[in-house]
Amino acid sequence: MAETDPTPRWWALALSEQVTGKAPLAVRCGEEEVVLFRDAGGVARALEDRCPHRRVPLSLGKITAGGQMQCGYHGWTYDGATGKCVAIPNLHDDEKVPERYRAETRGVTERDGFIYVWIGAPQASAAPLPPSLYTPGGLREHRGSVTLPLSHDAFVAALFDGPWVLLDFATSRVTDFLLGDPEMSDGWLMLERGATWGGPHLPDRFVPEWPLVLRVTVEPVTGETLVEMLDTNERLISAAEVSAAPAARGTTAVIWRSYAADYGGPAGLATRGLSMAGRPAISVRRFVNGRKLASLRIAPSHIWRTTLRAARDNAPAQRDTAA
Ligand code: FES
């Protein structure tokens, strides 16, 4: 996939809390620039971030009291559902806004705290969202967003090759010991690694049998990822949903949510205690250590990249289904 030409898909481009009726939010996916906002009913709306009048970014404007997007340059105002221009300042009483004046709408939907935008041919935006693997839970959910200085492809590959480079685990330590080959199921690619209790608040002991399993499940095209820390009986300790989109100049925009599950024992209590105190059980690092990234083993990523490529070759199925 070219970084500037994302595969037609639903892409999670914002957290629900980031999209409001107070200020527009500019997001992008490759070359597609989109403005997000909520209308008067609280429904998320998405328009191409270009005013049809003079191509000024609509995100520089404001949201009117009626929940419509007003361009900041000459004040043309657009309805979020239809894109239709509904008001032009200084029109005479006997003049009407021409029907052809309208902003480009984008398909937009919301699920589990993420705003998904359809990137691709607009008529295909009836395609269903891929099934969700993330179920928000725990006593307290954390969330965040960050733009990282590595490409989307490199970000997704690093999630497989060395998730500890991109993710911070509050009470566990992830190893590079793979518990099996990557598995493809229903369009998701899944990989498991051994992990131990550890981190700054618990002793980090090496043990020959891994007490924990880190399961990383990725939608290979978009890189939408479910991260789960489990014990060896498959009991959930913590979970995170991570979404990434190709941003400008080879960077990647990442959004995430995570929580500590209701897991017993001292280690589970520590994980939940830290979470309640404000330290997420799993979070995306705000900075990537280039030396650690460069030192990740290359051999496993060959397998992942082959599987990724095959998945991407099949990606038009979603578009065809919807067309
Ligand atoms: S450029 Fe937007 S109203 Fe003129």
Side-chain angles (χ1 to χ4, degrees):
M1 179 184 72
E3 292 295 337
T4 55
D5 183 21
T7 305
R9 217 68 168 177
W10 285 106
W11 292 75
L13 298 183
L15 299 170
S16 290
E17 297 86 347
Q18 294 176 304
V19 179
T20 71
K22 294 179 179 157
L25 177 71
V27 295
R28 69 182 299 151
C29 186
E31 295 297 310
E32 287 265 3
E33 295 180 73
V34 176
V35 59
L36 297 173
F37 62 100
R38 290 189 190 273
D39 66 16
V43 178
R45 301 295 183 191
L47 298 173
E48 182 191 17
D49 197 8
R50 287 276 172 270
C51 178
H53 183 213
R54 294 277 172 83
R55 311 302 288 164
V56 168
L58 286 172
S59 56
L60 298 179
K62 67 176 187 181
I63 304 164
T64 66
Q68 292 163 326
M69 186 71 241
Q70 186 176 60
C71 178
Y73 200 0
H74 305 102
W76 291 22
T77 301
Y78 302 94
D79 175 68
T82 62
K84 189 174 179 319
C85 182
V86 292
I88 296 177
N90 303 324
L91 275 190
H92 293 119
D93 289 346
D94 59 346
E95 288 180 301
K96 283 189 176 167
V97 178
E99 190 67 29
R100 67 180 186 281
Y101 291 174
R102 56 179 64 222
E104 292 266 350
T105 58
R106 293 285 178 269
V108 59
T109 189
E110 187 167 8
R111 183 179 68 191
D112 294 335
F114 291 90
I115 303 288
Y116 291 81
V117 178
W118 177 264
I119 300 297
Q123 68 273 18
S125 64
L129 277 176
S132 172
L133 298 184
Y134 177 74
T135 306
L139 295 172
R140 178 176 178 182
E141 193 184 46
H142 294 267
R143 59 183 180 270
S145 61
V146 62
T147 299
L148 296 175
L150 72 168
S151 71
H152 183 263
D153 273 3
F155 179 87
V156 177
L159 272 179
F160 291 130
D161 291 352
W164 57 87
V165 175
L166 302 176
L167 307 177
D168 178 63
F169 300 91
T171 55
S172 52
R173 184 172 69 88
V174 179
T175 77
D176 62 359
F177 185 87
L178 301 180
L179 300 178
D181 290 331
E183 289 178 18
M184 198 75 184
S185 174
D186 293 333
W188 295 83
L189 188 60
M190 188 268 285
L191 182 70
E192 292 183 337
R193 296 173 175 277
T196 65
W197 292 110
H201 302 285
L202 289 173
D204 180 13
R205 293 188 212 94
F206 179 86
V207 289
E209 291 180 5
W210 313 110
L212 304 176
V213 175
L214 181 77
R215 179 181 294 158
V216 175
T217 308
V218 177
E219 205 283 342
V221 177
T222 62
E224 187 171 346
T225 301
L226 176 69
V227 182
E228 298 167 288
M229 189 64 77
L230 309 153
D231 68 13
T232 49
N233 293 316
E234 296 260 327
R235 285 186 57 211
L236 183 68
I237 299 164
S238 55
E241 174 88 347
V242 180
S243 286
R249 299 181 183 276
T251 61
T252 297
V254 185
I255 50 178
W256 59 272
R257 312 186 81 92
S258 78
Y259 65 91
D262 186 12
Y263 185 83
L269 276 176
T271 306
R272 279 185 288 130
L274 283 173
S275 173
M276 290 305 292
R279 171 92 191 266
I282 305 172
S283 59
V284 177
R285 296 186 188 279
R286 301 202 68 77
F287 302 98
V288 176
N289 184 316
R291 186 176 56 78
K292 288 185 179 173
L293 184 67
S295 68
L296 292 177
R297 292 169 57 203
I298 294 172
S301 67
H302 284 317
I303 304 169
W304 294 314
R305 284 189 177 282
T306 303
T307 313
L308 286 169
R309 229 170 263 129
R312 285 171 180 165
D313 287 346
N314 292 328
Q318 187 182 51
R319 179 182 55 211
D320 293 342
T321 302

